[in-house]
Structures are given as C-alpha cells and as structure tokens.
Amino acid sequence: PLLLLPLGCLALLLPPRGAAEFSPSLDSDFTFTLPAGRKECFYQPMRKEASLELEYQVLDGAGLDVDFHLLSPKGETLVFEERKSDGVHTVETEDGDYMFCFDNTFSTISEKVIFFELILDNMGEDRQDQEDWKKYVTGTDLLDMKLEDILESINSVKARLSKSVQIQTLLRAFEARDRNIQESNFDRVNFWSMVNLGVMVVVSAVQVYMLKSLFEEKRKSRT
C-alpha cells in the first residue's frame, strides 16, 4: 500500500522518514492533495538497467503549478523543475531507491491536487516468466511455430495494451483538470455577475434618488 507522509522543509539529499514506497509494479498511478506550504516525497525501488518513466500533472489549485525533484539512489539530482503544471521524465536506472518529491512550500494559501503515474520497464519479471515458459515447452513442436515468434507476439500485444491503459489514464487526468478549471471559471463568472448586478442596483437607486431630489428642490423653490 502507498503511504503518504509530509516532509516539510527537509533537505533533499537526506532521505525522509517514512517516505512512501511503492511495491514493485509495472504501472502505478496515484492522485493526492498537497497542502499549502508542504512537500511530499516518495520512494520507488529500481533494478539495474531498468527504465523508470514518471509523468505528473497538477489537476487543481491556484496557478496549477508545483516544484518537482527526482533524485538517484546516490542522492544526485536528476530532474529539478520549478512552478510546472506537468512533466514527463524517463531515466535509465541502477539498483537502489529513487526518490521524487512534489514541493508546494512556495504557496501559503492554495493546496494542489496532483496526479502522477509510474511506468517501470525491464524489471526482470518478464524475462523470468519467459524462461519458465521455455522450460515447459522445450522439446515440443506446436504447428511448426517458433517459441521466439510466440513470445514476440505476446510481448507486442502486452506493450500495446499497456500503452492503451496509459493513454486512458492520462486522458482521465486531463479531463479531471479541465473539469476543475471549468468549475472554477463557472464560480468566478457567477460571483462577478452577482457583483455587477449589485453595482447596477445601487447605481440605479442612486440615480432615482438624485432625480427625485432635483424635482423636490424645484417644487420648494417655486413655493
């Protein structure tokens, strides 16, 4: 399970206590609320010669921006972005825990809703499954099909399905962000419409009062 703990202003080069950790997975996505003036960090264990792809989007909050940090297991800064609304980053990994942080300490009022997705490639699990399959089908000749062709077809289908799932997830994130923007704009339009209506009522009342007072002054002057 994913655990989310605040880190405050803890130095980036020091691993945070209780930072969140993902169980090994090929594809993980998560949406969370980052309070104003806070920073949240997560760990992702990786293997050597694997690939880590991380995409994030700010779905809601004033400015739709956040600071992003990605650090290697040695504490080296791989990516550092300031006040960005989204980003996509891919790194070739080594053994160890990679840490990525979302920083909202620059904001003192507005909280942010953040979506991010992790895609892990070449984690070694697929290769082990393929070796196990070869062990069971060795020595058989199934309709003159080569095992390599079967594996290639399966991997191709699997890659396309994973890509489809990724695109659908991103589309849902875009839809959520656009909906939040539209709802915010709707509230602003209603608010300023009421303000304009109130101003018009006040101006109309003042004009009626001024015209009425002019006529009354003329009547008094004649008498």
Side-chain angles (χ1 to χ4, degrees):
L2 183 62
L3 300 178
L4 184 62
L5 295 177
L7 297 182
C9 298
L10 193 62
L12 288 176
L13 295 181
L14 297 177
R17 294 183 184 178
E21 180 176 353
F22 290 102
S23 59
S25 175
L26 294 179
D27 193 347
S28 301
D29 59 84
F30 187 55
T31 302
F32 69 100
T33 299
L34 180 60
R38 296 279 292 278
K39 179 174 69 174
E40 305 290 356
C41 292
F42 305 87
Y43 272 146
Q44 173 58 54
M46 295 300 298
R47 299 181 180 181
K48 187 177 181 181
E49 297 181 353
S51 175
L52 168 64
E53 180 179 346
L54 189 150
E55 177 164 353
Y56 70 91
Q57 296 180 31
V58 182
L59 302 181
D60 195 15
L64 293 177
D65 54 359
V66 72
D67 292 347
F68 175 76
H69 309 261
L70 176 61
L71 282 77
S72 71
K74 298 179 181 179
E76 301 172 348
T77 299
L78 302 178
V79 179
F80 174 65
E81 295 181 330
E82 292 183 296
R83 309 294 290 270
K84 298 280 288 185
S85 61
D86 55 69
V88 181
H89 304 285
T90 303
V91 295
E92 300 299 323
T93 62
E94 57 188 49
D95 288 329
D97 295 335
Y98 283 76
M99 184 174 72
F100 56 97
C101 302
F102 299 95
D103 191 347
N104 193 33
T105 55
F106 60 85
S107 178
T108 58
I109 299 177
S110 176
E111 64 181 18
K112 307 295 172 63
V113 178
I114 300 175
F115 162 84
F116 66 86
E117 181 179 19
L118 294 176
I119 300 175
L120 314 180
D121 292 328
N122 301 325
M123 292 296 287
E125 297 173 355
D126 291 341
R127 290 196 295 268
Q128 183 62 40
D129 292 341
Q130 293 175 5
E131 293 299 327
D132 293 341
W133 189 18
K134 288 181 179 180
K135 180 175 63 177
Y136 286 108
V137 299
T138 300
T140 64
D141 186 7
L142 187 60
L143 300 179
D144 296 328
M145 294 181 63
K146 294 182 179 179
L147 179 59
E148 289 76 9
D149 295 335
I150 299 175
L151 293 177
E152 182 179 356
S153 299
I154 293 177
N155 289 332
S156 177
V157 172
K158 182 178 180 181
R160 293 183 181 183
L161 289 175
S162 299
K163 190 65 176 180
S164 299
V165 172
Q166 178 189 2
I167 293 175
Q168 291 176 357
T169 302
L170 294 179
L171 289 177
R172 287 197 298 269
F174 279 121
E175 189 273 336
R177 182 169 67 177
D178 292 341
R179 184 177 63 251
N180 290 331
I181 294 175
Q182 291 175 359
E183 291 177 353
S184 177
N185 291 337
F186 178 75
D187 293 337
R188 291 180 182 178
V189 169
N190 287 338
F191 172 76
W192 288 109
S193 297
M194 295 301 296
V195 171
N196 290 332
L197 180 60
V199 171
M200 291 175 63
V201 170
V202 172
V203 171
S204 299
V206 171
Q207 289 178 344
V208 170
Y209 173 78
M210 293 180 65
L211 289 174
K212 185 177 180 181
S213 63
L214 289 175
F215 284 110
E216 289 180 353
E217 289 178 359
K218 287 182 179 181
R219 292 177 181 176
K220 290 179 181 180
S221 62
R222 290 178 181 178
T223 57

